[in-house]
Amino acid sequence: MGRALRSTQLHHQLLPKRVALPVFASDALSSVAYAPQEILVILSIGGVALYSVSPWVAAGVVLVMLTVVASYRQNVHAYPSGGGDYEVATTNLGPTAGLTVASALLVDYVLTVAVSVANGADYVGATIPFVAEHRPLVAIAIVVLLTIMNLRGIRESGVAFAVPTYAFMIAVIGMVAWGLFRLIVLGDDLRAPTADYRIIGEQANLAGFAMAFLVLRAFSSGCAALTGVEAISNGVPAFRKPKSKNAATTLLMMGLIAVTMFSGIIFLGLKSGVKLTDPAIVASNVIIDGHPAGPGYYQQPIIAQVASAVFGHGSFLFVVIAAVTALILFLAANTAFNGFPVLGSILAQDRYLPRQLHTRGDRLAFSNGIVILAAGACLLIWAFNADVSKLLNLYIVGVFVSFTLSQIGMVRHWTRHLRTETDARARFRMMRARVINGFGAVMTGLVLVVVLATKFTHGAYIVCIAMPVLFLMMKGIRRHYDRVAEELAAPEGHEVDESLLPARNHAIVLVSKIHKPTLRALAYARATRPSSLEAVTVSVDADEANRLREEWDRRGIEVPLKILDSPYREITGPVLDYVKSLRRRSPRDVVTVYIPEYVVGRWWEHLLHNQSALRLKGRLLFKPGVMVTSVPFQLASSDRLKGRREPAAPGASRRSYQPPSKDTQVKA
């Protein structure tokens, strides 16, 4: 996607803080569009009276968020290589913990894309009926568009996403500031569109354990606001120097902005009388003027309701808030598009994922990781019909697994360094960092327990299955690479292993008819000076075989021709049997099979040529002591790929082979 970039241009793709903030923080910032709403939706199960505990739930979420931000500021200083939670856990807790974190993060990145894009499609679908009717297809189309933008490269995607992200931050913070000004200074009474509605709780009069469980469930849903915090620690290599300092500063800015927006939306939502309930039962649970809302009722999201209360429904600023919120939800997926490929590259380097994920593409982005992430997100969107409520139940389990293990690993990191550090100031900094990471480990561990307890039966069990499957797959890939490396390892020393040297080389040129490709393959085989050389053809039709023999003798080709009989009209089998017979007679010899092949320039021409050669090569690859050599012959259609015709020269692909005369052979 775009002009290829040299490897030396990588430093030009590094991000300043002003661009890194929207690139890596769009997920965490966009979560304020649904995290506050999820708190009120869950509390509405027990009735609107439970909204009174929402400030305490929100305060708990804010405390956890600030703790995680402070903890990850220690991470980016200690581990700036971009491994993030995976590197921290692997280094301090061992490979098993590291792979657990990696599997959790990979699953969570895919869910980040699916949830963000599906939620954005919901916002657009509320005003455009076509989008609502074809929500999964629209969401998949958005994922494809984001994929193309990221394949353009890190810097280009960052610049493209910076403007909408900053517009969202300015719009929401401006809305919160103006709302607070109207409440505190002007003394206005803010009224949300649903302020006069009534919500019928599914389980009224909750008390004791049931009420505590519901509050904890609301807290776990609100913790969706923390998703994306870890992305900056995984993306430190993409920052300009000094990388760690810039990443830590960006992380702090992201945390303060997210907390401000989250707290402001919850506060203004409660002050303006916002009412929200489960979208699946909203038609019967919302009472308007004494009557159920009915199937045609659309429940506005919390940001839209707060904007309506602050600026007036249908006003220009209300439309702006709705538009930038929908846009930021689409772009929030970009955080995963930056985190998943980098993590995949590190895992591939450690041989836990295919090596292709470690390679940068033409635009210096990890293209293979980007494509795999997009494919996984599209599959989830299609499987869950782009239903945000269902996808959210799968969300945040993985990210809190990585949070907890990472913070435990950081505690061990600081403890290990304190054993050898003697400088008093350095020891004080390390001890302070250990306290922060220790508190973070306790907080995130408690949240993980709450999330698993409250969301497991609602869909989180799927993630609990997917993570072990991914873990075992990566272990299997590592075992394969280790086994191959051990098998291919060359012995030490300069002595040549005699077992690797063949006694003789028997060359076989496969012949279907006498034409230029055949003559070229014969000439090339003779030039390699094998111990013996013969041409081999398979007789499917006796008359054709006889005509080939007659032409062979008439042309005076000195290479002996052997005709293999094939009573079942099959080509591959007789050749394999003949090669095996040569190997049985001389196990220390090698057999080199030369296969003439056409090189064509159009995709459909590939379907018409070389199919027998491909099948034969595939079978011969599994035969020990057999070498396969393709001798290409470029047809005229292949010139379109080169852009020009090759001049005739020694070794040119379409240069005819002239059999040597008897006089030449005598002189030789």
Side-chain angles (χ1 to χ4, degrees), residues 75-84 87 233-238 243-245:
N75 287 35
V76 297
H77 285 296
Y79 294 92
S81 63
E87 184 180 2
S233 68
N234 293 334
V236 176
K243 296 178 182 291
S244 295
K245 181 181 178 182

Side-chain angles (χ1 to χ4, degrees), residues 240-258:
R240 285 184 180 173
K241 295 181 179 179
K243 296 178 182 291
S244 295
K245 181 181 178 182
N246 287 337
T249 303
T250 304
L251 190 57
L252 179 60
M253 289 191 297
M254 179 203 70
L256 294 177
I257 293 170

Side-chain angles (χ1 to χ4, degrees), residues 397-659:
V397 174
V399 76
F400 273 96
V401 169
S402 62
F403 281 170
T404 305
L405 289 176
S406 173
Q407 298 314 303
I408 294 173
M410 286 301 298
V411 171
R412 295 195 64 177
H413 167 83
W414 298 123
T415 301
R416 186 174 67 253
H417 282 271
L418 278 168
R419 293 195 188 107
T420 57
E421 183 60 57
T422 56
D423 182 71
R425 295 182 63 183
R427 286 182 62 84
F428 175 76
R429 288 196 300 269
M430 290 180 183
M431 292 176 68
R432 182 186 60 188
R434 185 171 64 172
V435 170
I436 293 173
N437 287 127
F439 185 67
V442 172
M443 292 294 293
T444 55
L446 290 173
V447 174
L448 176 61
V449 172
V450 170
V451 169
L452 287 174
T454 58
K455 288 180 174 286
F456 187 83
T457 58
H458 295 275
Y461 70 90
I462 297 175
V463 176
C464 296
I465 295 172
M467 284 171 48
V469 169
L470 192 56
F471 177 91
L472 293 174
M473 184 194 76
M474 289 191 288
K475 293 280 280 189
I477 291 173
R478 176 60 186 261
R479 281 196 300 270
H480 168 77
Y481 279 136
D482 288 346
R483 186 170 61 249
V484 170
E486 182 180 355
E487 197 171 338
L488 298 180
E492 294 291 337
H494 301 289
E495 294 293 328
V496 177
D497 187 356
E498 294 293 334
S499 66
L500 299 177
L501 298 177
R504 293 188 301 169
N505 177 22
H506 298 287
I508 297 174
V509 179
L510 298 186
V511 175
S512 59
K513 61 181 67 175
I514 300 176
H515 48 23
K516 290 179 180 179
T518 298
L519 298 177
R520 177 172 173 77
L522 287 168
Y524 179 72
R526 288 172 65 95
T528 62
R529 299 182 182 276
S531 304
S532 65
L533 173 63
E534 62 181 340
V536 173
T537 188
V538 179
S539 174
V540 176
D541 184 289
D543 293 337
E544 286 186 7
N546 290 332
R547 286 195 294 270
L548 177 63
R549 168 71 72 184
E550 291 172 2
E551 185 179 0
W552 195 270
D553 295 338
R554 178 173 56 79
R555 286 175 175 262
I557 300 176
E558 298 297 325
V559 178
L561 174 66
K562 186 174 188 63
I563 299 177
L564 305 177
D565 188 39
S566 179
Y568 296 102
R569 301 160 305 283
E570 205 262 326
I571 295 175
T572 306
V575 174
L576 292 172
D577 292 339
Y578 183 65
V579 169
K580 284 191 288 187
S581 69
L582 292 176
R583 289 278 300 151
R584 279 195 298 268
R585 288 202 299 267
S586 302
R588 282 205 58 196
D589 297 351
V590 297
V591 178
T592 303
V593 181
Y594 295 88
I595 304 178
E597 289 193 58
Y598 307 142
V599 179
V600 295
R602 299 178 179 87
W603 67 268
W604 55 267
E605 291 179 309
H606 288 279
L607 303 176
L608 306 178
H609 300 284
N610 299 326
Q611 301 308 309
S612 298
L614 286 173
R615 288 195 299 271
L616 187 58
K617 281 194 291 185
R619 297 286 298 277
L620 288 172
L621 286 173
F622 293 95
K623 302 298 177 185
V626 178
M627 314 299 169
V628 183
T629 301
S630 296
V631 184
F633 186 88
Q634 285 84 10
L635 296 176
S637 65
S638 68
D639 288 330
R640 60 190 291 272
L641 299 181
K642 298 194 295 286
R644 59 182 178 84
R645 291 181 178 271
E646 278 188 356
S653 56
R654 291 196 293 275
R655 191 177 179 88
S656 299
Y657 165 76
Q658 300 296 333

